[in-house]
């Protein structure tokens, strides 16, 4: 009789549907050396945008830009070439293209593909002092579900009237007037990502968002001007601290002019 041999089962290996990505360890000399070699390879290519090319941006600057792009790509689990082609500088801020942000959410493995729901809210009508007439007020909401969950994750609603109030629609050269539904989807996707997956965007806005931002004019305020404003705008009424009511103060009568001194007779 052949003896039975029991083979022990292999230990279970924990798996995760959403792999954790880590950035570049800049304190690791070996890893940094490898990244620099890869950056020089990308910087020597003509397939990357101009800000990453040695021939267009210069050696040190192009390599440095490539190192940053490689670090971003490693953190979000994306192709370095895709990151370079979809990362722009707008008003000095790094910005994602909205299409890349949507693609990142759809391919991260944690969520179902993003979908968009539209609803017509009627006519915009009067906003402020401007009459927009028969312009349709459209609402857009980006939504999806986490894989394995039935909960619907929705963005805040974006509407045409909101775009007008925020100044996006009326801004010179605005695409909100020529392609409103596309801009609604881009903004809804960006707002959805900022709430449910900010690690995918790394806290960066989209190109369209940064283009719509208007910087406020800087005005230096001195301490003396602040003190003067506080002194002139602070309430002068006297308050009864027991009752919390303002006391009625009788108006102060101007002092009577002093009588002239009698003159001595001549």
């Amino acid at each position: 009789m052949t003896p039975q041999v029991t083979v022990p089962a292999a230990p279970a290996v924990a798996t995760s549907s959403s792999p954790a990505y880590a950035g570049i360890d800049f304190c690791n000399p070996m890893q940094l050396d490898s990244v620099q070699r890869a950056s020089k390879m990308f910087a020597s290519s003509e397939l990357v945008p101009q800000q990453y090319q040695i021939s267009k941006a210069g050696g040190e600057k192009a390599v440095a830009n490539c190192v940053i792009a490689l670090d971003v790509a490693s953190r979000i689990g994306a192709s370095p070439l895709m990151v370079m082609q979809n990362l722009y500088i707008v008003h000095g801020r790094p910005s994602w293209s909205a299409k890349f942000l949507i693609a990142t959410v759809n391919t991260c493995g944690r969520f179902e593909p993003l979908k968009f729901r539209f609803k017509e809210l009627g006519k915009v009508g009067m906003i402020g002092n401007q009459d927009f007439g028969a312009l349709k007020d459209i609402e857009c909401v980006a939504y999806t579900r986490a894989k394995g969950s039935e909960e619907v994750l929705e963005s805040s609603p974006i509407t045409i009237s909101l775009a007008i109030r925020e100044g996006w629609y009326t801004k010179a050269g605005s695409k909100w007037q020529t392609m409103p539904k596309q801009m609604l989807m881009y903004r809804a996707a960006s707002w959805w990502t900022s709430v449910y997956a900010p690690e995918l965007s790394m806290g960066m806005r989209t190109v369209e968002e940064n283009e719509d931002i208007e910087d406020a004019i800087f005005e230096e305020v001195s301490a003396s001007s602040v003190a003067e404003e506080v002194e002139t705008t602070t309430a002068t009424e006297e308050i009864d601290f027991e009752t919390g009511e303002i006391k009625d103060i009788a108006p102060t009568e101007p002092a009577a002019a002093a009588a002239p001194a009698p003159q001595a007779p001549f």
Side-chain angles (χ1 to χ4, degrees):
M1 183 175 180
T2 305
Q4 295 181 354
V5 179
T6 304
V7 180
V13 179
T15 59
S16 174
S17 58
S18 56
Y21 300 106
I24 297 172
D25 184 4
F26 290 97
C27 296
N28 187 328
M30 295 182 61
Q31 188 175 3
L32 184 59
D33 184 63
S34 299
V35 170
Q36 288 178 332
R37 289 200 302 269
S39 299
K40 290 179 181 178
M41 178 187 66
F42 278 107
S44 302
S45 173
E46 295 181 353
L47 297 179
V48 298
Q50 294 184 359
Q51 62 266 29
Y52 301 100
Q53 296 181 19
I54 293 177
S55 59
K56 301 294 177 61
E60 292 185 0
K61 186 175 181 180
V63 172
N65 290 342
C66 289
V67 170
I68 295 174
L70 289 175
D71 179 59
V72 172
S74 65
R75 290 181 184 276
I76 65 176
S79 164
L81 182 59
M82 287 180 60
V83 170
M84 293 179 187
Q85 291 178 338
N86 291 278
L87 188 60
Y88 301 89
I89 303 299
V90 180
H91 302 317
R93 301 182 181 94
S95 314
W96 293 116
S97 70
K99 294 179 291 186
F100 176 76
L101 199 59
I102 296 173
T104 304
V105 173
N106 292 344
T107 59
C108 71
R110 296 163 49 194
F111 307 99
E112 300 291 339
L114 274 177
K115 297 180 181 179
F116 303 89
R117 182 173 63 249
F118 291 93
K119 181 181 179 181
E120 292 192 5
L121 304 177
K123 299 179 181 180
V124 173
M126 288 287 297
I127 294 183
N129 298 325
Q130 189 172 356
D131 185 7
F132 291 89
L135 179 64
K136 292 182 179 180
D137 192 8
I138 305 173
E139 177 187 273
C140 178
V141 173
Y143 69 96
T144 187
R145 295 181 303 176
K147 289 188 175 180
S149 173
E150 295 298 325
E151 181 184 2
V152 178
L153 308 176
E154 294 186 352
S155 70
S156 299
I158 309 294
T159 62
I160 296 295
S161 58
L162 174 64
I164 294 173
R165 290 188 178 92
E166 292 292 331
W168 310 334
Y169 190 93
T170 55
K171 190 175 182 180
S174 173
K175 296 180 181 178
W176 285 90
Q177 301 180 24
T178 56
M179 39 190 284
K181 283 194 173 183
Q182 195 74 16
M183 295 300 293
L184 285 169
M185 289 189 288
Y186 284 169
R187 192 57 49 89
S190 176
W191 283 19
W192 186 97
T193 308
S194 298
V195 174
Y196 297 107
E199 67 279 4
L200 296 180
S201 64
M202 297 183 63
M204 293 186 287
R205 297 189 180 99
T206 62
V207 174
E208 293 77 15
E209 283 182 296
N210 280 330
E211 286 178 346
D212 285 338
I213 291 176
E214 295 185 8
D215 293 332
I217 300 176
F218 174 77
E219 181 181 356
E220 186 174 356
V221 180
S222 62
S224 59
S225 62
V226 173
E228 182 180 356
E229 183 178 358
V230 170
E231 183 178 354
T232 55
T233 58
T234 302
T236 56
E237 293 87 351
E238 184 177 352
I239 299 177
D240 188 342
F241 290 98
E242 294 183 358
T243 63
E245 297 179 351
I246 298 176
K247 296 181 179 179
D248 293 330
I249 302 176
T252 304
E253 296 181 357
Q263 297 181 358
F266 291 101

